[in-house]
Amino acid sequence: MSSKSLLEVETAPSSSRARSKDVVQYNIQGQADNDDEGGCTSVFAGLLTFASMILILLTFPLSVWMCVKMVQEYERAVIFRLGRVKKGGAVGPGLFWIIPCIDSIQVVDLRTVSFDVPPQEILSKDSVTVAVDAVVYYKISNPMASVCNVTNASQSTRLLASTTLRTILGTKTLQEILADREHTAATILEQLDAATDPWGIRVERVEVKDVRLPQQLQRAMAAEAEATREARAKIIAAEGEQNASRALKEASLILSESPTALQLRYLQTLNSIAAEKNSTIIFPLPMELMGKYMYNQNQQM
């Protein structure tokens, strides 16, 4: 067996969030559990540990301030002893003990982190250039994986979010990008979470924040929308005129059946005109009477 610590990764599928997810569990066998370790390395590590303990005892109680460390409730500390991960995994929160000469610690924040994905110039499926930016929320779920499996978990997640955003939106048309943001965000979340899972990072939420179109395309879309509204307004006005014509036709048929009703309607119209205090009142005359009068004038001439 190699003299290096054995790092085993066990993955188990989970469907709690309706997407593929692997839980990475690290079982680290420390130096004390490895019976087949090289003798030279074991003896050297033992000598360094013994010397460090002697130094701590000689400088007690001043050495206590260097041996006792503390992390907050939302933090975990990964301890490396002589370059190897200490048995037991990440420690915290609260106080814990280290050996200053041979131990080094790396503190990991477990709180949710949010960051803006820089605007990405994307060529959509229908050959339209758009600038899209998004917001990503993530948290470290496995401190050991975030320290041992990736150099910089935060920076790697940011770069991966940018490339995933470009890849996903490049397969969609402009209409799909504008009208189906929720589905697009869910797709980005699924792929981003699956990619960052070996790093001990769980992506909680992805939101497409803004989609910016070129000025020429905005003017063209505005002109198209304005023309559509004008055409709809003309259709509505024509339908109103048609309905009004039908109503007037039905009213004229009803009035033609009763001369008295026509006279009452005429008096009602005069009453409405008089209520407005107009100085001029127009009296309509039947065309038959005017025709007879014009015939008599022609006969006299």
Side-chain angles (χ1 to χ4, degrees):
M1 184 177 295
S2 174
S3 61
K4 297 183 180 179
S5 301
L6 179 60
L7 189 63
E8 296 179 355
V9 182
E10 298 179 358
T11 58
S14 174
S15 58
S16 59
R17 299 178 60 185
R19 49 193 171 85
S20 60
K21 180 137 183 95
D22 296 332
V23 178
V24 181
Q25 180 181 2
Y26 285 81
N27 297 325
I28 301 179
Q29 299 180 353
Q31 183 177 0
D33 294 339
N34 194 351
D35 298 335
D36 298 333
E37 233 179 54
C40 182
T41 304
S42 177
V43 172
F44 183 71
L47 290 176
L48 287 178
T49 304
F50 180 75
S52 299
M53 296 301 296
I54 294 298
L55 182 61
I56 291 173
L57 293 176
L58 292 177
T59 58
F60 186 84
L62 297 178
S63 59
V64 174
W65 300 103
M66 300 180 62
C67 295
V68 177
K69 299 294 182 179
M70 181 185 68
V71 292
Q72 303 296 331
E73 180 68 29
Y74 51 83
E75 294 176 335
R76 297 295 183 270
V78 180
I79 302 177
F80 294 91
R81 177 160 295 175
L82 295 176
R84 300 175 180 175
V85 178
K86 184 180 177 182
K87 179 183 177 182
V91 297
L95 299 174
F96 58 94
W97 176 275
I98 66 170
I99 302 176
C101 299
I102 61 175
D103 287 351
S104 62
I105 64 174
Q106 186 166 348
V107 180
V108 179
D109 196 331
L110 302 183
R111 292 176 294 181
T112 299
V113 179
S114 63
F115 65 90
D116 291 329
V117 179
Q120 304 293 316
E121 293 288 340
I122 299 170
L123 184 64
S124 63
K125 189 177 181 180
D126 50 354
S127 301
V128 178
T129 303
V130 295
V132 182
D133 56 351
V135 181
V136 178
Y137 299 84
Y138 74 93
K139 66 184 301 183
I140 296 177
S141 59
N142 193 325
M144 297 293 297
S146 66
V147 173
C148 299
N149 288 359
V150 62
T151 302
N152 190 328
S154 177
Q155 182 66 17
S156 299
T157 303
R158 294 172 185 269
L159 294 176
L160 184 61
S162 300
T163 56
T164 303
L165 180 65
R166 296 177 64 90
T167 302
I168 296 299
L169 295 183
T171 61
K172 297 182 177 294
T173 62
L174 177 61
Q175 183 65 26
E176 293 174 347
I177 295 175
L178 296 176
D180 198 8
R181 293 192 181 186
E182 294 183 359
H183 183 267
T184 302
T187 304
I188 297 174
L189 172 64
E190 182 178 356
Q191 294 198 10
L192 188 60
D193 194 16
T196 58
D197 188 65
W199 303 341
I201 293 177
R202 186 181 70 179
V203 181
E204 297 180 335
R205 191 177 183 88
V206 175
E207 292 291 342
V208 178
K209 186 170 65 173
D210 189 20
V211 179
R212 291 188 294 274
L213 305 177
Q215 293 294 332
Q216 295 180 354
L217 183 59
Q218 291 182 15
R219 288 194 293 267
M221 295 178 66
E224 179 183 1
E226 184 178 358
T228 301
R229 293 190 182 95
E230 289 181 356
R232 190 177 302 146
K234 291 179 179 180
I235 293 175
I236 294 174
E239 291 178 352
E241 292 290 340
Q242 187 178 6
N243 294 333
S245 300
R246 291 197 185 99
L248 289 174
K249 178 181 178 181
E250 294 177 358
S252 64
L253 293 176
I254 294 174
L255 292 176
S256 64
E257 296 177 356
S258 176
T260 305
L262 180 61
Q263 186 66 23
L264 292 175
R265 180 59 180 165
Y266 170 66
L267 295 176
Q268 184 180 4
T269 303
L270 292 179
N271 186 26
S272 300
I273 295 174
E276 296 178 1
K277 297 181 180 181
N278 293 326
S279 59
T280 303
I281 298 177
I282 300 175
F283 290 92
L285 296 176
M287 295 300 297
E288 293 82 2
L289 179 62
M290 293 300 298
K292 185 176 181 181
Y293 175 75
M294 294 297 297
Y295 176 76
N296 291 334
Q297 289 291 333
N298 292 332
Q299 291 293 334
Q300 291 177 3
M301 293 177 61

